[in-house]
Amino acid sequence: MVIILKQHPDETQLGSLMDWLKKQNIQVTPTVGAHQTILGLVGDTSSIDMDLISALDIVEDVKRVTEPYKKANRKFHPDDTVIEVGGTRIGGGSLTLIAGPCSVESEEQIVGIAKAVKASGATVLRGGAFKPRTSPYSFQGMKLEGIRLLLAAREATGLPICTEIMDASQLPLFEDIDILQVGARNMQNFTLLKELGKTKKPVLLKRGMACTYQDLLMSAEYVLAGGNPNVILCERGIRTFETYTRNTLDLACIPSLRQLTHLPIIIDPSHATGKSALVPSMCKAAVAAGADGLIVEVHNDPPHAKCDGAQSITPAAFDKLSGQLRAIKEVCGEDHRDVII
Ligand code: PEP
Ligand code: MN
């Protein structure tokens, strides 16, 4: 349930309402927006008389939220969530470019790529240290040494780091990492999500390859319900009958999720297509459709990459693309908010 308050509500009346709700065992989350203040109610609201609440002087409107995701719901939080990390803002119609290799391979590689993508406008560096591979015989990542090299790349460039955490037990190793990525295969690792909810670290939550928007939002809800408001959603392609591309990029998720949630929406065209030649077009389409940002695999030597070379673009290709994306963003401007009704 959400209670929409009138402007400048009487403080005493508001205090009594909040106290009364808490006595009913309802958790109340106030959201002060640019135009409205909203009280989001979580708990068993079935016994709450909507007419009684509507009749209060300070109340403009009361609505039931029928969707099972509450804190992730735009009805709870009409303004976009904007997450500040390492001097960059993600969400609210930003154009956050997260770029870097699939996996960290050496200091020279990660620092070199970090410098190149930064010069081309990337604001976050990506790179896997712990890799979730389909085959146990494939390269599993540099692990702790990979984390150390990512921090060296941050030191050299100032770029905040985004890297994947695969298990809740790894959390102490990620203390200095700026954005914790939850991979597609782990989107419904509820133990991990609950632990991330206890931190305040930004979480880049990737959509599972056979998961609906509602599934994705319910996973986000786990993190939000734990007390961590910093969730970024990421579409990285879903499994369909098409085999030409690695996955199928669901771009309709951008305007759809924009309506359903206030959380930032990032698109990953690399894992979605699996083919470097397709990545620039999909990046452009995603920006035109209002994505808050992209996460793109960039490698200095794609044919020799230890992981995902076929879908990695070169720093030169990223440089060209970045300029085009800024131009598209310029044209599409604030359109991303048009779909919110
Ligand atoms: C990755 O980002 O390198 C990765 C493994 O992504 P996903 O979980 O989307 O497959
Ligand atoms: Mn990858």
Side-chain angles (χ1 to χ4, degrees):
M1 185 181 275
V2 290
I3 301 176
I4 301 152
L5 298 176
K6 287 187 182 151
Q7 282 199 338
H8 315 298
D10 178 83
E11 292 289 330
T12 323
Q13 286 187 39
L14 180 56
S16 330
L17 173 61
M18 299 271 280
D19 289 345
W20 181 78
L21 288 166
K22 280 174 195 160
K23 278 195 198 119
Q24 313 300 307
N25 268 331
I26 304 288
Q27 196 198 336
V28 186
T29 312
T31 306
V32 183
H35 309 292
Q36 280 177 328
T37 296
I38 287 188
L39 302 181
L41 274 47
V42 179
D44 181 9
T45 55
S46 56
S47 59
I48 295 197
D49 184 341
M50 285 176 70
D51 294 336
L52 210 69
I53 307 253
S54 303
L56 297 174
D57 274 352
I58 56 169
V59 173
E60 176 83 42
D61 201 3
V62 184
K63 288 183 194 155
R64 285 219 180 265
V65 177
T66 45
E67 295 85 4
Y69 48 93
K70 308 292 179 190
K71 296 191 174 201
N73 203 310
R74 192 175 277 284
K75 289 177 190 152
F76 250 59
H77 191 294
D79 291 338
D80 291 343
T81 281
V82 178
I83 297 171
E84 300 210 11
V85 47
T88 186
R89 286 160 63 84
I90 307 177
S94 59
L95 178 54
T96 301
L97 297 182
I98 307 174
C102 180
S103 309
V104 180
E105 297 173 10
S106 69
E107 178 153 1
E108 198 192 356
Q109 175 240 22
I110 192 68
V111 174
I113 295 174
K115 286 183 178 164
V117 296
K118 183 182 178 178
S120 302
T123 46
V124 180
L125 176 68
R126 67 148 286 149
F130 294 88
K131 295 303 305 175
R133 303 304 301 277
T134 302
S135 166
Y137 308 117
S138 302
F139 175 61
Q140 302 286 309
M142 291 184 78
K143 308 193 178 84
L144 202 48
E145 177 62 2
I147 300 273
R148 195 187 68 73
L149 297 181
L150 283 166
L151 296 177
R154 182 176 68 190
E155 188 70 30
T157 58
L159 287 179
I161 303 297
C162 174
T163 191
E164 178 163 355
I165 180 163
M166 283 172 56
D167 190 88
S169 65
Q170 294 172 338
L171 255 172
L173 311 179
F174 284 69
E175 220 153 77
D176 295 327
I177 297 299
D178 302 284
I179 303 177
L180 306 185
Q181 177 175 320
V182 174
R185 294 155 190 82
N186 253 327
M187 189 200 89
Q188 290 185 315
N189 178 342
F190 301 119
T191 315
L192 175 60
L193 298 176
K194 280 184 197 167
E195 287 305 314
L196 295 177
K198 294 179 192 161
T199 77
K200 287 281 183 273
K201 291 264 190 206
V203 174
L204 183 92
L205 179 62
K206 288 192 147 194
R207 179 182 180 186
M209 50 189 101
C211 290
T212 63
Y213 300 156
Q214 180 157 310
D215 295 333
L216 175 62
L217 293 171
M218 290 311 291
S219 287
E221 191 79 9
Y222 265 89
V223 181
L224 301 174
N228 183 354
N230 303 313
V231 180
I232 303 155
L233 304 174
C234 179
E235 154 68 19
R236 44 76 73 206
I238 50 174
R239 276 274 163 89
T240 66
F241 52 79
E242 182 56 70
T243 54
Y244 181 76
T245 48
R246 183 175 180 183
N247 291 289
T248 296
L249 181 58
D250 176 13
L251 283 177
C253 83
I254 303 169
S256 308
L257 289 170
R258 186 72 68 206
Q259 290 180 357
L260 302 174
T261 183
H262 49 88
L263 298 171
I265 305 158
I266 298 282
I267 299 297
D268 173 350
S270 310
H271 294 89
T273 60
K275 295 184 173 178
S276 58
L278 307 186
V279 168
S281 308
M282 293 300 95
C283 287
K284 292 178 216 168
V287 172
D292 293 302
L294 301 167
I295 179 165
V296 185
E297 285 187 343
V298 178
H299 198 282
N300 52 317
D301 184 10
H304 296 104
K306 288 198 171 169
C307 186
D308 287 349
Q311 66 193 35
S312 300
I313 62 171
T314 59
F318 180 73
D319 189 60
K320 178 176 175 207
L321 177 62
S322 174
Q324 294 172 328
L325 296 176
R326 300 276 162 210
I328 294 169
K329 181 75 186 168
E330 191 75 20
V331 175
C332 298
E334 290 296 300
D335 283 0
H336 82 286
R337 287 201 65 87
D338 291 354
V339 293
I340 303 168
I341 38 170

